[in-house]
Amino acid sequence: MMSLLSPAARHGTGALARLMREGGLHCVFQPLADLREGSIYAHEALIRGPQGTPLHTPDALLEVARREHILQDFELLCVFTALQQWGAQQAQGRLFVNISADALVHGVALIGPRMLGEAIRSFGMHARMLVLEITEHDRVTDMPELREAIKAVHACGARLALDDFGDGRSSLRLWSEVKPDFVKIDKYFVHDISNHPANLQMLQAIKGIAQVFGTQLIAEGIETQDDLRALRDLDIPYGQGWLLGRPAALPRDSVERLAQEVMQDRRVAVLPHLGQTARPGILRSLMVVQAPFASPGTSNDAVAALFHKHPDLHALPVVEGSRPVALINRQQFMNHYATLYFREVHGRKPCLAFANTAPRVVELDCDVDQLVGILTSQDQRYLNDGYIVTDNGRYLGLGTGDQLVRAVTETRIEAARHANPLTFLPGNIPISLHMQRLLESGTEFVACYADLNNFKPFNDHYGYWRGDQMIRLVARLATTHCDARRDFVGHVGGDDFMLIFQSSNWLQRCKNIVDEFAREAIALFDEPARLAGGIQAEDRHGVQRFFPCTTLAIGAVRVMPGRFRHAEEVANLAAVAKHEAKQAAAGVVLHGGFTESSLGALAAARALQDVLAA
């Protein structure tokens, strides 16, 4: 192998060149796991220098190779070393070996495209079991030559992977050009994914790209059980990381025990929730009034003529060049224009004296939060005058106050379906998506619908601010007593919540929520109400009567595999269970007539039946 390398590698006096000639490099092998099967899928060969020296780690070796100008020689020797060790061990399974695009081109040219397969077989392994993992230490210098080298790799039966996609160096263009069999997702997007909804969405986007190209994905840097569970449920097929297995001198037969536990546990991960984000370009869906405009020098008489010509025009923008500088409100201007002697004194003067020189100007691609600023502004002229719409700073048209109110309201309603604005818990859409994932996975779970008894009288009596406190109390207790890795807490709206349990002790968790709510909610009532055990308030018919202090009711539905096909069916039955819970004296009711007290007796009876049957 050394005879094929450059003179700098064969005769260089640098520390790495000498190490290469002396055979001082060796490989360790890290497993890649099949996240669906829980088995070892392949190993990656990782180069190492002598233990306890500055040249032990790959990063140090690469840096010295650059300094000694033998980077391609070093990479080719690494591939040779990996194949030699793998063959010598007569190891089974696929082997991933790192190589840069330029080193691949150089290596194929050295060996010859037609001899590539024979060279791989000379190490005692089949070419189809070799995956060349292209890394981007530097940008590809010659894409046509890379395409030819890739043809040779595919022709001999070997496969290709793209390393560290998303690390800032790997590019979508290289993915498109190489058309790899595998793409490794950089550990940045994998680390702590169970707590980062933005990274979750990025992974889902990468999955979409992989489907377009027909590529299999490998998640790198898996270090925790929660991340492994999330990746498995995202249907990422393969993974690599310390949780699955650390690099070692010999290949492994199985993944680490902690990883095996996750992959054998069929419970569905509770994926991190991302609320509906601000919608850019919201104005593109609204009607923008193509209104005529005046210039700063336009006379008041000309402005009046424009208003007479366009009777539906609520305002007239003043535009200098293409940039809006002011806005004239129709009603205010015409009131001035109708006064005695206005035309004689001001008719020929410029219109700016009667214009709002600080109008609200909104870009066409603005998000909804900018529009909310108009509604909440202390200057209510913006609602009457409307706003000026620009595209890249150039005048485009006008928007009206009623359009603005409607757009903001619709957007806020849509956002609330994703995340409740009071509790920030997932709304209806994430609740339905999670239940559907559970149904499709064939996992047993319990869907609980929680609702407050006598909440409306409390809310009417003490006001919305204290009512919101009570709703936030339910949210806090529910999230505290649920297992974030197993159980899902969603806020349907108002005082309605959905709790979706995979925890086996779901009943005790619900009972804890109900009991703790009863203890803490009493503090939200004033002293006379606490002493009386409730408040006097109007019922739905306007009649004054006594209402006991607010309590929490939870209706539960046990969902067995195959019982339902759609999340809506579960939600509807959970709503029935909630109604049963509100009618019962107990705080938790399982649909079918069992309260929290009778559930214990039922469990004991079933246990006795199991013993007798045995």
Side-chain angles (χ1 to χ4, degrees):
M1 181 63 199
M2 288 300 301
S3 66
L4 295 176
L5 302 184
S6 70
R10 296 198 309 270
H11 308 298
T13 58
L16 181 56
R18 289 198 306 272
L19 187 66
M20 290 165 61
R21 292 195 298 271
E22 294 166 0
L25 299 175
H26 69 280
C27 282
V28 291
F29 302 96
Q30 185 174 23
L32 284 75
D34 185 323
L35 302 187
R36 291 173 243 188
E37 301 295 330
S39 58
I40 298 292
Y41 177 75
H43 284 82
E44 179 182 359
L46 303 169
I47 200 69
R48 296 289 187 269
Q51 183 77 34
T53 70
L55 292 180
H56 176 64
T57 64
D59 289 343
L61 289 166
L62 286 168
E63 180 58 34
V64 175
R66 289 190 185 92
R67 288 206 306 264
E68 295 184 15
H69 305 291
I70 55 171
L71 182 57
Q72 287 188 6
D73 298 300
F74 169 69
E75 289 189 66
L76 292 177
L77 186 62
C78 289
V79 174
F80 174 85
T81 303
L83 296 178
Q84 189 179 52
Q85 280 190 229
W86 190 257
Q89 295 177 6
Q90 297 183 338
Q92 302 299 310
R94 291 175 180 79
L95 180 67
F96 281 64
V97 179
N98 292 292
I99 189 169
S100 70
D102 286 352
L104 176 62
V105 170
H106 182 57
V108 170
L110 279 178
I111 297 170
R114 295 183 179 179
M115 298 298 294
L116 193 58
E118 186 175 333
I120 296 169
R121 287 190 291 274
S122 69
F123 292 99
M125 68 180 298
H126 295 291
R128 59 184 173 81
M129 303 306 286
L130 175 64
V131 182
L132 293 173
E133 189 173 323
I134 297 178
T135 59
E136 285 196 88
H137 304 310
D138 302 294
R139 290 295 179 190
V140 178
T141 56
D142 196 324
M143 191 62 75
E145 285 190 355
L146 177 61
R147 290 194 201 103
E148 292 302 314
I150 289 170
K151 286 181 183 177
V153 171
H154 283 147
C156 79
R159 306 173 80 180
L160 287 167
L162 188 62
D163 192 24
D164 293 333
F165 183 78
D167 73 343
R169 292 176 297 184
S170 57
S171 65
L172 191 58
R173 182 190 170 186
L174 188 63
W175 189 342
S176 177
E177 292 277 4
V178 172
K179 294 182 174 57
D181 302 281
F182 305 93
V183 164
K184 285 189 168 182
I185 305 168
D186 187 67
K187 61 185 178 183
Y188 170 82
F189 297 106
V190 173
H191 177 67
D192 204 22
I193 187 178
S194 52
N195 293 315
H196 287 85
N199 284 358
L200 175 70
Q201 283 203 336
M202 181 60 73
L203 275 182
Q204 289 171 328
I206 294 173
K207 272 187 64 181
I209 299 171
Q211 288 171 351
V212 170
F213 289 119
T215 305
Q216 298 274 35
L217 294 177
I218 302 169
E220 294 184 294
I222 303 173
E223 297 181 0
T224 68
Q225 288 184 305
D226 287 345
D227 289 341
L228 176 58
R229 189 174 288 105
L231 291 164
R232 181 204 64 187
D233 288 356
L234 277 172
D235 202 25
I236 303 296
Y238 304 110
Q240 184 176 8
W242 285 2
L243 181 72
L244 299 161
R246 291 174 178 259
L250 297 175
R252 299 177 61 102
D253 295 325
S254 61
V255 298
E256 290 282 358
R257 180 183 57 82
L258 291 177
Q260 194 71 43
E261 288 176 1
V262 172
M263 289 185 280
Q264 290 175 350
D265 180 2
R266 301 324 298 171
R267 286 178 292 185
V268 172
V270 179
L271 298 177
H273 166 65
L274 182 65
Q276 178 85 333
T277 53
R279 246 172 54 195
I282 186 174
L283 291 182
R284 294 186 186 275
S285 62
L286 299 180
M287 185 182 70
V288 176
V289 179
Q290 303 296 319
F293 57 87
S295 66
T298 301
S299 68
N300 290 315
D301 285 337
V303 168
L306 281 170
F307 279 132
H308 282 300
K309 185 178 179 180
H310 301 277
D312 295 329
L313 197 61
H314 69 281
L316 185 72
V318 180
V319 179
E320 187 171 16
S322 61
R323 185 174 61 88
V325 294
L327 189 65
I328 302 173
N329 179 280
R330 178 192 188 93
Q331 183 177 351
Q332 292 175 357
F333 178 86
M334 295 308 291
N335 286 344
H336 285 300
Y337 197 76
T339 58
L340 193 62
Y341 303 123
F342 182 93
R343 303 180 192 182
E344 290 77 7
V345 177
H346 301 287
R348 297 182 180 180
K349 292 181 179 179
C351 60
L352 275 181
F354 297 94
N356 174 10
T357 54
R360 196 63 179 238
V361 179
V362 180
E363 267 288 315
L364 190 63
D365 285 322
C366 76
D367 60 50
V368 70
D369 289 333
Q370 291 174 270
L371 299 184
V372 170
I374 301 176
L375 295 181
T376 58
S377 171
Q378 292 183 348
D379 191 345
Q380 288 302 294
R381 286 182 301 173
Y382 296 136
L383 277 179
N384 295 324
D385 295 356
Y387 51 94
I388 299 174
V389 181
T390 57
D391 188 2
N392 200 25
R394 294 189 173 94
Y395 170 70
L396 190 65
L398 295 179
T400 63
D402 61 331
Q403 287 177 331
L404 173 62
V405 172
R406 185 167 63 251
V408 170
T409 302
E410 289 174 354
T411 304
R412 284 295 185 234
I413 291 172
E414 177 64 21
R417 297 173 66 205
H418 290 263
N420 189 279
L422 177 61
T423 60
F424 303 109
L425 289 174
N428 290 335
I429 289 178
I431 293 171
S432 295
L433 290 175
H434 183 71
M435 279 200 291
Q436 195 64 44
R437 287 176 56 233
L438 288 166
L439 292 173
E440 291 171 359
S441 73
T443 301
E444 179 183 344
F445 65 97
V446 177
C448 297
Y449 201 132
D451 190 16
L452 293 174
N453 296 315
N454 302 319
F455 175 69
K456 186 179 184 303
F458 173 88
N459 203 41
D460 293 343
H461 184 79
Y462 289 108
Y464 291 109
W465 182 80
R466 202 178 293 189
D468 287 350
Q469 277 188 296
M470 185 169 282
I471 291 173
R472 281 194 289 263
L473 173 62
V474 178
R476 176 171 61 81
L477 295 177
T479 53
T480 298
H481 288 286
C482 289
D483 183 345
R485 297 171 301 170
R486 301 280 185 270
D487 310 324
F488 183 97
V489 180
H491 190 173
V492 177
D495 59 329
D496 292 355
F497 292 81
M498 281 292 295
L499 315 178
I500 305 170
F501 289 97
Q502 293 180 85
S503 296
S504 57
N505 60 342
W506 65 271
L507 178 59
Q508 186 59 52
R509 291 176 185 272
C510 286
K511 190 174 184 304
N512 292 342
I513 295 169
V514 170
D515 292 346
E516 196 163 333
F517 177 84
R519 288 194 298 270
E520 294 195 29
I522 197 71
L524 296 175
F525 289 82
D526 53 26
E527 184 64 23
R530 288 198 292 271
L531 293 174
I535 57 174
Q536 291 287 337
E538 287 187 357
D539 62 17
R540 298 182 184 277
H541 305 289
V543 178
Q544 281 280 333
R545 67 183 185 87
F546 180 78
F547 289 92
C549 290
T550 308
T551 56
L552 182 63
I554 299 179
V557 174
R558 188 187 296 276
V559 181
M560 306 303 290
R563 183 181 177 188
F564 301 102
R565 293 182 59 190
H566 303 292
E568 291 77 11
E569 299 174 70
V570 179
N572 291 338
L573 195 56
V576 173
K578 177 202 74 169
H579 180 73
E580 293 171 354
K582 290 177 75 71
Q583 299 300 316
V588 185
V589 171
L590 179 65
H591 179 65
F594 297 106
T595 65
E596 62 190 36
S597 57
S598 60
L599 278 168
L602 176 65
R606 284 178 175 169
L608 180 60
Q609 288 174 354
D610 292 340
V611 172
L612 293 174

